[in-house]
Amino acid sequence: MTTTTGSAQKIADEFVHAWTGRDVEKALSLLADDVVCEAPGGRIEGVDGYRGFLQPFVTMITSATVIDVLGDDTHAAAVYTTDTPLVPDFRGIDHFTVENGKITHIICVFDRLPMHLARNA
Amino acid sequence: MTTTTGSAQKIADEFVHAWTGRDVEKALSLLADDVVCEAPGGRIEGVDGYRGFLQPFVTMITSATVIDVLGDDTHAAAVYTTDTPLVPDFRGIDHFTVENGKITHIICVFDRLPMHLARNA
């Protein structure tokens, strides 16, 4: 969908296709060791921290679609939607900072309310 | 922060700077009449529908910062953070489709949980 071809865009594209394809370790291989992720629930640090955030979610996914990946050489954004048993058509957008070929910073945005309501139902 | 200069990127940049600067009507002037917005709470249609979504939120903002705007000629993403009395440092990311110089489609992603919890507190 996008015509930009910066290196951050390419890495973000690999990253989001990896985890939406359930290849968590491939996705994690694109992160810097000291990656910082600002997630809705708070700050996540390091590859192991991110694994603990991503792996349980990926386990729940029944289908996932990458809607778009935009970016340039240093920053990118990936738009996706996932289906899980609790919440269908769950959209999120991640914003990435890439340095030296690795993702160093992620702003991860999604709506926690549907999951909160489903779990309390 | 971005080096891409597609027309969608420019329009998204104008749009997010307008509303974060509390100029709702300037932002609305960049929307197609039949704009569709997929928001966390559901589908919003038309400029008047979007006004009803944006105006109450802008009224609550005490400060707002545009973090990044990425894009190409047809699509863009804008990353922002806002402070409101109920929820500080509230991040959102919007994804835009632009046709003929107007925004025709928005995927709007933010976390409704902090506001939900604050209102029920």
Side-chain angles (χ1 to χ4, degrees):
Chain A
M1 190 182 270
T2 177
T3 56
T4 51
T5 53
S7 59
Q9 194 268 346
K10 284 181 186 167
I11 287 166
D13 192 78
E14 275 189 67
F15 180 82
V16 68
H17 280 98
W19 77 255
T20 55
R22 296 186 182 77
D23 191 345
V24 171
E25 291 306 319
K26 166 82 183 293
L28 296 175
S29 75
L30 299 165
L31 301 179
D33 292 343
D34 59 350
V35 64
V36 170
C37 174
E38 298 178 68
R43 184 181 169 101
I44 296 159
E45 295 185 359
V47 173
D48 286 344
Y50 199 83
R51 182 185 284 107
F53 170 66
L54 183 62
Q55 181 74 62
F57 180 64
V58 167
T59 305
M60 289 193 294
I61 293 172
T62 54
S63 75
T65 304
V66 177
I67 297 172
D68 200 7
V69 185
L70 295 160
D72 53 29
D73 285 339
T74 58
H75 295 86
V79 187
Y80 56 85
T81 184
T82 63
D83 291 307
T84 64
L86 284 179
V87 185
D89 194 14
F90 182 69
R91 282 181 292 265
I93 309 182
D94 290 348
H95 176 261
F96 304 95
T97 303
V98 173
E99 294 172 69
N100 301 316
K102 296 281 186 179
I103 295 166
T104 57
H105 188 260
I106 307 173
I107 297 172
C108 179
V109 180
F110 57 84
D111 181 17
R112 290 179 295 169
L113 186 60
M115 191 67 79
H116 175 81
L117 296 176
R119 283 179 169 153
N120 290 342
Chain B
M1 190 183 269
T2 177
T3 56
T4 52
T5 53
S7 59
Q9 194 268 346
K10 285 181 186 168
I11 287 166
D13 192 78
E14 274 188 68
F15 180 81
V16 68
H17 279 97
W19 75 256
T20 56
R22 297 186 180 79
D23 191 345
V24 171
E25 291 306 318
K26 166 82 182 294
L28 295 176
S29 76
L30 298 164
L31 301 179
D33 292 344
D34 58 350
V35 64
V36 170
C37 174
E38 298 178 69
R43 184 181 169 99
I44 295 159
E45 295 185 0
V47 174
D48 286 344
Y50 199 83
R51 181 186 283 107
F53 170 65
L54 183 62
Q55 181 74 62
F57 180 64
V58 168
T59 305
M60 289 193 293
I61 293 172
T62 53
S63 75
T65 304
V66 178
I67 296 171
D68 201 4
V69 184
L70 295 160
D72 54 29
D73 284 340
T74 59
H75 295 85
V79 187
Y80 56 85
T81 183
T82 62
D83 293 304
T84 63
L86 284 179
V87 185
D89 193 15
F90 182 69
R91 280 181 293 265
I93 309 183
D94 289 349
H95 177 261
F96 304 95
T97 303
V98 173
E99 294 171 69
N100 301 316
K102 297 281 187 177
I103 295 166
T104 57
H105 189 261
I106 307 174
I107 298 172
C108 178
V109 181
F110 57 84
D111 182 16
R112 289 180 296 169
L113 186 60
M115 191 67 78
H116 175 82
L117 296 177
R119 283 179 168 152
N120 289 342

Coordinates of all heavy atoms in Angstrom, one line a residue, chain A residues 40-77:
Chain A
P40 N 0.3 0.7 26.2 CA -0.8 1.2 27.0 C -0.7 0.9 28.5 O -1.1 1.7 29.3 CB -2.0 0.6 26.4 CG -1.6 0.3 24.9 CD -0.2 -0.1 25.0
G41 N -0.2 -0.3 28.8 CA -0.1 -0.6 30.2 C 1.1 -0.1 30.9 O 1.3 -0.4 32.1
G42 N 2.0 0.5 30.2 CA 3.2 1.0 30.8 C 4.5 0.7 30.0 O 4.4 0.2 28.9
R43 N 5.6 1.0 30.6 CA 6.9 0.9 29.9 C 7.4 -0.5 29.9 O 7.4 -1.1 31.0 CB 7.9 1.9 30.5 CG 9.2 2.0 29.9 CD 10.0 3.0 30.8 NE 11.4 3.0 30.4 CZ 12.0 3.9 29.7 NH1 11.3 4.9 29.2 NH2 13.3 3.9 29.4
I44 N 7.9 -1.0 28.8 CA 8.5 -2.4 28.7 C 9.9 -2.2 28.2 O 10.2 -1.5 27.3 CB 7.7 -3.2 27.7 CG1 6.2 -3.4 28.2 CG2 8.3 -4.6 27.4 CD1 5.2 -3.8 27.1
E45 N 10.8 -2.9 28.9 CA 12.2 -2.7 28.5 C 12.9 -4.1 28.2 O 12.6 -5.1 28.8 CB 13.0 -2.1 29.7 CG 12.5 -0.7 30.0 CD 13.3 0.0 31.1 OE1 14.2 -0.7 31.7 OE2 13.0 1.1 31.5
G46 N 13.7 -4.0 27.1 CA 14.5 -5.1 26.7 C 13.8 -6.2 25.9 O 12.5 -6.2 25.9
V47 N 14.5 -7.0 25.3 CA 13.9 -8.1 24.4 C 13.1 -9.1 25.2 O 12.0 -9.4 24.8 CB 15.0 -8.8 23.6 CG1 14.4 -10.0 22.8 CG2 15.7 -7.8 22.6
D48 N 13.6 -9.4 26.4 CA 12.9 -10.4 27.2 C 11.6 -9.8 27.7 O 10.5 -10.5 27.8 CB 13.7 -10.9 28.4 CG 14.8 -11.9 27.9 OD1 14.7 -12.4 26.8 OD2 15.7 -12.1 28.7
G49 N 11.6 -8.5 28.1 CA 10.4 -7.8 28.5 C 9.4 -7.8 27.4 O 8.2 -8.0 27.6
Y50 N 9.9 -7.5 26.2 CA 9.0 -7.5 25.0 C 8.4 -8.8 24.7 O 7.2 -9.0 24.3 CB 9.6 -6.8 23.8 CG 8.6 -6.3 22.8 CD1 8.0 -5.1 22.9 CD2 8.2 -7.1 21.7 CE1 7.1 -4.7 22.0 CE2 7.3 -6.7 20.8 CZ 6.7 -5.5 21.0 OH 5.8 -5.0 20.1
R51 N 9.2 -9.9 24.8 CA 8.7 -11.2 24.6 C 7.6 -11.6 25.6 O 6.5 -12.1 25.1 CB 9.8 -12.3 24.8 CG 9.4 -13.7 24.6 CD 10.5 -14.7 24.9 NE 11.5 -14.8 23.9 CZ 12.8 -14.3 24.1 NH1 13.1 -13.8 25.2 NH2 13.6 -14.4 23.1
G52 N 7.7 -11.1 26.8 CA 6.6 -11.4 27.8 C 5.3 -10.6 27.5 O 4.2 -11.0 27.9
F53 N 5.5 -9.5 26.7 CA 4.3 -8.7 26.3 C 3.7 -9.3 25.0 O 2.5 -9.4 24.9 CB 4.9 -7.3 26.0 CG 3.9 -6.3 25.3 CD1 2.8 -5.9 26.0 CD2 4.2 -5.8 24.1 CE1 1.9 -5.0 25.3 CE2 3.4 -4.9 23.5 CZ 2.3 -4.5 24.1
L54 N 4.5 -9.7 24.1 CA 4.1 -10.1 22.7 C 3.6 -11.6 22.7 O 2.5 -11.9 22.1 CB 5.2 -9.9 21.7 CG 4.8 -10.2 20.2 CD1 3.7 -9.3 19.7 CD2 6.1 -10.1 19.4
Q55 N 4.3 -12.5 23.3 CA 4.1 -13.9 23.2 C 2.7 -14.3 23.6 O 2.0 -15.0 22.9 CB 5.1 -14.7 24.0 CG 5.0 -16.2 23.9 CD 5.4 -16.7 22.5 OE1 6.5 -16.6 22.2 NE2 4.5 -17.3 21.8
P56 N 2.2 -13.8 24.8 CA 0.8 -14.2 25.2 C -0.3 -13.7 24.3 O -1.3 -14.4 24.0 CB 0.7 -13.6 26.6 CG 2.1 -13.3 27.1 CD 2.9 -13.0 25.8
F57 N 0.0 -12.5 23.7 CA -1.0 -12.0 22.8 C -1.0 -12.8 21.5 O -2.1 -13.2 21.0 CB -0.7 -10.5 22.5 CG -1.7 -9.9 21.5 CD1 -3.0 -9.8 21.8 CD2 -1.3 -9.4 20.3 CE1 -3.9 -9.2 21.0 CE2 -2.1 -8.9 19.4 CZ -3.5 -8.8 19.7
V58 N 0.2 -13.1 20.9 CA 0.3 -13.9 19.7 C -0.4 -15.2 19.8 O -1.1 -15.7 18.9 CB 1.7 -14.0 19.2 CG1 1.9 -15.0 18.1 CG2 2.2 -12.6 18.8
T59 N -0.3 -15.8 21.0 CA -0.9 -17.1 21.3 C -2.4 -17.1 21.1 O -3.0 -18.1 20.8 CB -0.5 -17.6 22.7 OG1 0.9 -17.5 22.8 CG2 -1.0 -19.0 23.0
M60 N -3.0 -15.9 21.4 CA -4.4 -15.8 21.4 C -5.0 -15.5 20.0 O -6.2 -15.6 19.7 CB -4.9 -14.6 22.3 CG -4.8 -14.9 23.7 SD -5.7 -13.6 24.7 CE -4.8 -12.1 24.3
I61 N -4.1 -15.1 19.0 CA -4.6 -14.6 17.7 C -5.1 -15.8 16.9 O -4.4 -16.8 16.7 CB -3.4 -13.9 17.0 CG1 -3.0 -12.6 17.6 CG2 -3.8 -13.7 15.5 CD1 -1.7 -12.0 17.1
T62 N -6.3 -15.6 16.4 CA -6.8 -16.6 15.4 C -6.6 -16.1 13.9 O -6.5 -16.9 13.1 CB -8.3 -16.8 15.6 OG1 -9.0 -15.6 15.6 CG2 -8.5 -17.5 17.0
S63 N -6.5 -14.8 13.7 CA -6.1 -14.3 12.4 C -5.6 -12.9 12.6 O -5.9 -12.2 13.6 CB -7.3 -14.3 11.4 OG -8.2 -13.3 11.7
A64 N -4.8 -12.4 11.7 CA -4.2 -11.1 11.8 C -3.9 -10.6 10.4 O -3.5 -11.4 9.5 CB -2.9 -11.2 12.6
T65 N -4.1 -9.3 10.2 CA -3.9 -8.7 8.9 C -3.1 -7.4 9.1 O -3.4 -6.6 9.9 CB -5.2 -8.3 8.2 OG1 -6.0 -9.5 8.1 CG2 -5.0 -7.8 6.8
V66 N -2.0 -7.2 8.3 CA -1.3 -6.0 8.3 C -2.0 -5.1 7.3 O -2.1 -5.4 6.1 CB 0.2 -6.2 7.8 CG1 0.9 -4.9 7.7 CG2 0.9 -7.2 8.8
I67 N -2.4 -3.9 7.8 CA -3.2 -3.0 6.9 C -2.3 -2.1 6.2 O -2.5 -1.8 5.0 CB -4.2 -2.2 7.8 CG1 -5.2 -3.1 8.5 CG2 -4.9 -1.1 7.0 CD1 -6.1 -2.5 9.5
D68 N -1.2 -1.6 6.8 CA -0.3 -0.6 6.1 C 1.0 -0.5 7.0 O 1.0 -0.7 8.2 CB -1.0 0.8 6.0 CG -0.3 1.6 4.9 OD1 0.6 1.1 4.2 OD2 -0.7 2.8 4.8
V69 N 2.1 -0.2 6.3 CA 3.3 0.1 7.0 C 3.9 1.3 6.2 O 4.2 1.3 5.0 CB 4.4 -1.1 6.9 CG1 5.6 -0.7 7.7 CG2 3.7 -2.4 7.4
L70 N 4.1 2.4 7.0 CA 4.6 3.6 6.4 C 5.9 4.0 7.1 O 6.1 3.7 8.3 CB 3.6 4.8 6.7 CG 2.2 4.6 6.0 CD1 1.2 5.5 6.6 CD2 2.3 5.0 4.5
G71 N 6.8 4.7 6.4 CA 7.9 5.2 7.1 C 9.0 5.7 6.2 O 8.9 5.8 5.0
D72 N 10.1 6.0 6.8 CA 11.3 6.5 6.1 C 12.5 5.8 6.7 O 12.4 4.6 7.1 CB 11.4 8.0 6.2 CG 11.3 8.5 7.7 OD1 11.8 7.7 8.6 OD2 10.9 9.6 8.0
D73 N 13.7 6.4 6.6 CA 14.9 5.7 7.1 C 15.0 5.5 8.6 O 15.7 4.6 9.0 CB 16.1 6.5 6.6 CG 16.3 6.3 5.1 OD1 15.8 5.3 4.5 OD2 17.0 7.1 4.5
T74 N 14.3 6.4 9.3 CA 14.6 6.3 10.8 C 13.3 6.0 11.6 O 13.4 5.6 12.8 CB 15.1 7.7 11.3 OG1 14.1 8.7 10.9 CG2 16.4 8.0 10.7
H75 N 12.1 6.2 11.0 CA 10.9 6.0 11.8 C 9.9 5.3 10.9 O 9.9 5.5 9.6 CB 10.3 7.3 12.3 CG 11.2 7.9 13.3 ND1 12.2 8.8 13.0 CD2 11.2 7.8 14.7 CE1 12.8 9.2 14.1 NE2 12.2 8.6 15.1
A76 N 9.0 4.5 11.5 CA 7.9 3.9 10.7 C 6.7 3.7 11.6 O 6.8 3.8 12.8 CB 8.5 2.5 10.2
A77 N 5.6 3.4 10.9 CA 4.4 3.1 11.7 C 3.7 1.9 11.0 O 3.7 1.8 9.7 CB 3.4 4.2 11.7

